[in-house]
Amino acid sequence: MKEHATCCMLFRVNQLFAYEMMKASLMMYNFFFMMFAWSVIGLGIYAETMRANLTKEENYFVTPSIFFIVIGTVMVIYSYFGFAGAVRDNFLLLGIFSYGILFCFVLEIVGGFLAYFARPYRIDVMR
């Protein structure tokens, strides 16, 4: 009987260790993801200031630098949800983070299919 209690206690310790390691790895992933997002925002701001110095064009919404700033901001928000959810064990924030990552993955898949099937149209546009 005593062996069974020791076995269950060791299993519980291993479960807690795995939980803490998963939590730490999720926090580290989101921290590095947030640092990358801030660098994307910085790159977008730098590119926008360089573009503004070189041209006087006022069409802001078609420039790649604004695209970098918007994507970087979305990345910071999603990484904050993941980081705060991991630190505070908040399942709502972790759910928002998970569904956001799933949404981005689905967008990538759809974009890949669109790029593959729109190939003849792209070639006509490029000519």
Side-chain angles (χ1 to χ4, degrees):
M1 188 74 175
K2 201 168 200 177
E3 291 175 11
H4 179 68
T6 305
C7 177
C8 290
M9 193 169 74
L10 289 176
F11 180 72
R12 178 78 176 145
V13 169
N14 288 340
Q15 258 186 335
L16 289 175
F17 179 73
Y19 171 75
E20 291 299 325
M21 288 296 107
M22 229 15 196
K23 185 176 174 179
S25 65
L26 187 61
M27 287 184 334
M28 284 179 21
Y29 165 75
N30 282 303
F31 176 75
F32 289 122
F33 193 69
M34 189 178 289
M35 292 300 109
F36 178 72
W38 281 114
S39 65
V40 167
I41 291 173
L43 178 69
I45 291 171
Y46 175 74
E48 181 60 28
T49 56
M50 288 294 121
R51 187 201 61 80
N53 290 338
L54 294 175
T55 65
K56 299 299 178 198
E57 189 176 323
E58 295 296 326
N59 198 357
Y60 294 113
F61 296 109
V62 295
T63 60
S65 57
I66 297 299
F67 180 72
F68 277 132
I69 293 170
V70 169
I71 293 297
T73 304
V74 170
M75 288 169 57
V76 166
I77 291 169
Y78 277 135
S79 63
Y80 174 75
F81 285 149
F83 189 80
V87 169
R88 305 289 292 168
D89 292 330
N90 189 333
F91 292 114
L92 176 66
L93 292 177
L94 286 173
I96 292 171
F97 173 72
S98 298
Y99 284 121
I101 296 297
L102 179 67
F103 179 70
C104 291
F105 180 70
V106 168
L107 281 180
E108 286 179 2
I109 297 295
V110 169
F113 278 121
L114 287 176
Y116 179 73
F117 289 118
R119 185 170 181 218
Y121 302 113
R122 285 184 301 159
I123 292 172
D124 289 340
V125 169
M126 291 174 70
R127 289 181 191 173

